[in-house]
Amino acid sequence: MAIVGGGPAGISAGLELSKRAGLNIALFERDVELGGIPRSCHFFFGMRDQKRIYTGPAYAKKLSSLIRSTSVKLHLGTMVLSVVPGISGEAHRIDVLSPEGLKSYSSRFVILATGCFESSRHARQIPGTRPSGIYTTGTLQQLVNLGRFEFRGRRAVIIGSELVALSSVLTLKKAGASVIAMVEEDPELHSYAYPAEAMARLYHFPIFKDTAVHEVFGDERVEGVGLLTGQRTFQMDCDMVIITGRFRPESTLIDNTPIQRDPASSGPSVNLDLMTSAPNILAAGNILRGADMHDLCALEGKLAAQSILRTLESDRIPAGPCFTIRAEPPIRYVVPQRINPRKIGKGRFCKLYPCPAFQLKHTRGNTIMEAVSGAERIWEGAFHKLIANSRYPLPVEKFRWNRADPYKEVTLKIAPC
């Protein structure tokens, strides 16, 4: 067994697999420490998987302690360069670069749990000069909370309004810096309005909605940003720009492989067992969708491991058609993307872990969604409000699967008004 990634999903998968005696399990992590992103975050971790609330560092330490007490072989400081799926049931090959040099391993099962990353300034196409002082939230948190580099900024403009933007506010205050403004391109925030507005009042900064950053000023260091709202432009002086959110799966390992990629999420396409299109290669956590709560990723890693254990007990595949679900914009994704109706409600999921699930790109109120197969509408649901980039359960058990065409995709979309 091979697990790629030492964050909550990968560690939880290893913990579950280690419960079965006789398995040879290896976990590969490119960092020299386990725990993933929570190591540099604030609080509210572990509620659903560990049944209590930790700070980010304490949660990472807890997971690291648990996995180190098992038989799982840990390969830290090891970069997985490629995963080569085996042919016709053969073992998969994993090529890695470790402190000992280049090595290759073979494994019957592989779990991909490589996480996600924030969209950069380049990906957002923000013009202007290229001074120092432009950070993603992840970089900011490592600067402040892990103390890996010198932190110099004192006045920051935050781009984005997802929950991670609120985390950036707390990180900046911890570093003794001020937030000058939070800027959101959409007319509605990408998080719940009350906590964002309460934080803005507490720390005395404005939130600009329906506003874009059209330029960054500065030579050696950021000196300000130009903002555009409607037809009006104005400038704000600052020495930092914090780019937050718009997370993307870290899924480069499936490049140039037969593993099918979901064009909506950019992560691997999986079924209800979290199996990719390559037999015995599974995926769990934020590689599937971009950022989600870390305890949910941990539960997902556990589910992937349970899928492997079920396969070891029986190689039988339940009969019946498997339907592919495609998300249509402004829906960001639906995961899993392949649904076998006979596997729905078989004890794989619980109320603490909403799956299958979807996200929207933009916050919307009073929305009706529908699932369509050919000319048939097989489900329709009404939602009072959907917050952008937040996970919502998709009630596939209510779909009229008997009216769906197994040879056509099921399209999940916003119904016309």
Side-chain angles (χ1 to χ4, degrees):
M1 312 285 174
I3 302 167
V4 185
I11 291 176
S12 296
L15 291 173
E16 189 69 15
L17 289 172
S18 68
K19 295 178 182 179
R20 175 163 174 164
L23 296 182
N24 185 12
I25 309 163
L27 186 150
F28 300 91
E29 167 57 42
R30 64 185 175 186
D31 209 330
V32 294
E33 296 182 47
L34 292 167
I37 292 176
R39 291 190 296 114
S40 60
C41 294
H42 294 283
F43 52 83
F44 212 71
F45 290 87
M47 181 176 67
R48 280 167 282 212
D49 62 323
Q50 297 299 317
K51 304 300 187 295
R52 59 163 289 186
I53 296 175
Y54 292 87
T55 65
Y59 177 64
K61 185 177 180 180
K62 175 66 174 179
L63 291 182
S64 178
S65 175
L66 289 172
I67 196 68
R68 289 179 184 277
S69 66
T70 70
S71 60
V72 175
K73 176 66 174 177
L74 302 177
H75 298 266
L76 304 183
T78 300
M79 172 73 74
V80 175
L81 302 176
S82 62
V83 174
V84 182
I87 300 174
S88 301
E90 295 178 359
H92 310 298
R93 192 183 82 230
I94 302 170
D95 301 321
V96 308
L97 178 62
S98 72
E100 290 77 36
L102 290 169
K103 291 186 177 182
S104 292
Y105 298 85
S106 62
S107 179
R108 179 183 174 188
F109 293 93
V110 177
I111 297 178
L112 302 175
T114 49
C116 63
F117 60 92
E118 287 171 286
S119 294
S120 64
R121 173 189 176 177
H122 175 75
R124 292 170 180 254
Q125 298 181 329
I126 299 174
T129 55
R130 314 298 277 184
S132 64
I134 302 174
Y135 310 114
T136 62
T137 311
T139 303
L140 172 70
Q141 289 175 333
Q142 290 192 31
L143 286 169
V144 176
N145 296 329
L146 298 183
R148 292 185 171 180
F149 306 97
E150 181 184 1
F151 184 78
R152 296 174 53 194
R154 287 295 174 263
R155 293 164 55 85
V157 169
I158 297 176
I159 300 176
S161 63
E162 297 176 39
L163 288 176
V164 70
L166 307 186
S167 178
S168 292
V169 174
L170 297 178
T171 304
L172 288 163
K173 299 308 294 185
K174 178 180 178 180
S178 299
V179 179
I180 304 305
M182 181 179 293
V183 180
E184 173 54 57
E185 288 186 356
D186 280 355
E188 298 290 338
L189 298 180
H190 287 199
S191 57
Y192 290 97
Y194 177 77
E197 291 169 355
M199 187 170 285
R201 288 193 297 269
L202 178 63
Y203 294 121
H204 310 291
F205 64 85
I207 298 176
F208 296 107
K209 294 185 285 186
D210 206 11
T211 301
V213 177
H214 73 87
E215 190 170 3
V216 175
F217 303 106
D219 295 321
E220 294 186 2
R221 187 165 187 85
V222 171
E223 297 175 5
V225 294
L227 302 180
L228 172 64
T229 176
Q231 299 300 315
R232 184 171 73 95
T233 62
F234 59 102
Q235 183 175 335
M236 299 197 76
D237 295 334
C238 62
D239 60 6
M240 281 187 297
V241 175
I242 312 301
I243 300 174
T244 69
R246 294 193 187 179
F247 287 90
R248 305 287 289 176
E250 178 56 84
S251 56
T252 54
L253 284 177
I254 71 173
D255 292 348
N256 304 313
T257 74
I259 298 174
Q260 183 179 355
R261 184 188 299 273
D262 178 17
S265 69
S266 295
S269 174
V270 296
N271 63 17
L272 283 170
D273 289 319
L274 302 181
M275 189 81 72
T276 70
S277 57
N280 296 336
I281 296 182
L282 299 88
N286 286 333
I287 185 178
L288 292 175
R289 63 183 66 76
D292 207 341
M293 295 294 289
H294 289 84
D295 52 358
L296 290 176
C297 293
L299 291 176
E300 202 163 61
K302 181 178 180 179
L303 289 172
Q306 290 172 346
S307 296
I308 290 176
L309 296 178
R310 285 195 299 269
T311 302
L312 291 174
E313 293 170 1
S314 172
D315 287 329
R316 291 178 299 173
I317 300 175
C322 188
F323 297 87
T324 298
I325 300 183
R326 178 179 64 86
E328 183 177 282
I331 302 171
R332 280 195 63 223
Y333 72 76
V334 56
V335 173
Q337 298 89 347
R338 303 197 308 277
I339 307 294
N340 183 337
R342 296 196 178 193
K343 289 188 175 184
I344 296 173
K346 298 296 183 182
R348 287 169 168 79
F349 310 108
C350 62
K351 290 184 179 179
L352 291 177
Y353 178 77
C355 183
F358 67 91
Q359 279 190 7
L360 260 62
K361 293 181 179 179
H362 312 287
T363 297
R364 294 177 61 107
N366 300 318
T367 299
I368 296 177
M369 295 182 61
E370 61 183 8
V372 178
S373 174
E376 292 281 347
R377 181 190 292 122
I378 64 172
W379 172 78
E380 183 177 84
F383 299 85
H384 173 64
K385 190 168 187 178
L386 295 170
I387 304 297
N389 305 300
S390 296
R391 175 199 286 250
Y392 292 94
L394 183 66
V396 293
E397 69 279 2
K398 296 181 180 180
F399 284 24
R400 296 182 290 274
W401 293 108
N402 61 319
R403 297 171 60 180
D405 187 339
Y407 300 102
K408 294 183 179 179
E409 292 182 331
V410 174
T411 302
L412 185 68
K413 60 183 180 179
I414 303 296
C417 298

